[in-house]
Amino acid sequence: MSPLALLLTLSSVLFVLGLFAVLTRRNAILILVGVELMLNAANINFIAFWRYPLGGETDPGMIGPMFVLFSIAIAAAEAAVGLAIILMVFRHTRSTDLNRLDSLHG
């Protein structure tokens, strides 16, 4: 099995685990962890296709790592905002269970 296929398999497994976490968990923090897993799977794909280009291109440039750096910055911002929202919800409801959140009243 080629390294590209191994990386794509790893990425697929991470993405499926993240999607499973998002779809099955009720805890908001675990859902956020699932989203982070899916973003990391996308990052692995960016690096894999940058390192092992399909068209036989010899100098792919720095496009793959630049996308990954941008994605990491977006993921950090998303985690910060998500955790802040979860913290405020926890202060209000004393729970991070998303099924208990049935209204958006303050």
Side-chain angles (χ1 to χ4, degrees), residues 4-18 37-46 48-49:
L4 179 61
L6 287 173
L7 288 171
L8 293 179
T9 303
L10 173 68
S11 159
S12 299
V13 169
L14 276 179
F15 189 84
V16 168
L17 287 175
L37 276 177
M38 289 191 291
L39 284 172
N40 284 329
N43 288 340
I44 289 173
N45 276 344
F46 281 128
F49 283 116

Side-chain angles (χ1 to χ4, degrees), residues 20-99:
F20 181 74
V22 168
L23 293 178
T24 60
R25 298 294 179 173
R26 287 184 258 171
N27 188 328
I29 294 174
L30 293 178
I31 290 174
L32 195 60
V33 169
V35 170
E36 293 295 327
L37 276 177
M38 289 191 291
L39 284 172
N40 284 329
N43 288 340
I44 289 173
N45 276 344
F46 281 128
I47 292 298
F49 283 116
W50 169 72
R51 179 67 176 93
Y52 304 103
L54 292 177
E57 187 176 331
T58 58
D59 184 23
M62 295 298 290
I63 294 174
M66 294 304 290
F67 270 111
V68 169
L69 287 176
F70 182 72
S71 174
I72 289 172
I74 296 296
E78 172 258 335
V81 171
L83 286 175
I85 291 171
I86 291 169
L87 182 63
M88 294 306 295
V89 167
F90 181 77
R91 283 183 183 171
H92 187 69
T93 64
R94 294 289 174 203
S95 174
T96 58
D97 187 1
L98 293 180
N99 288 337

